[in-house]
Amino acid sequence: MEETVIKYRHCGSDVYSFSSYSQCQCPICHQTPTFGLLNAPVALSCPFTNGHKISCAFLIGSIHGPSYIGEWSDTEIHVGLSNSEGLVYNYTLSGVRRDAGGWERCVCVCVCAQLARSWDAELEKFSVLPDWTSERFEEERVFGSCCYGFALSFINHMLSRIGQQPLSRDQFTQRHVLPRIKAVSQYISIYHAISQHGFYTVNAPDDV
Ligand SMILES: [Zn+2]
């Protein structure tokens, strides 16, 4: 998914296309629209971030590539935590890994800036706890994805340091993860439609 998605309005529809297409032809009327300042095509912001360049974040990735992030399932999704040096800590079958690469296109949930203080040192300490061995990974597998448990437990550990209540898995997912996953799914389906048909359209609301 390397292309930039643009959006413009024509024939009462929002038309999505790739910016690399030399000229945009409206797929409904087959005219080449002329744009003013106010209705010029806008680029959709890509929902993927380089996790190695964002510090102190909860990262959602997929070993199968970013287009699988939209399918929220334990087998497709892998999550980790970035430190301020671009390392991504993630709990796997072989224990906690510190990845310097591989998280270039993931979804980033920035956690409260207050937690950034001493994040790196705490994350390192937390990662070597006996809770996160490879043996435990197998044991805990039945309870859902272990990588998620590792990342959320750390965030809760940091929240408790500033006197805040821990978040349950459900709360964290509902509040921070699902809205992002929803946006990603939408982006991915628009992207796939453009790849297949050259465009994607939706009826625009009348009032705009
Ligand atoms: Zn048109």
Side-chain angles (χ1 to χ4, degrees), residues 10-11 26 28-29:
H10 209 250
C11 294
C26 171
I28 300 161
C29 65

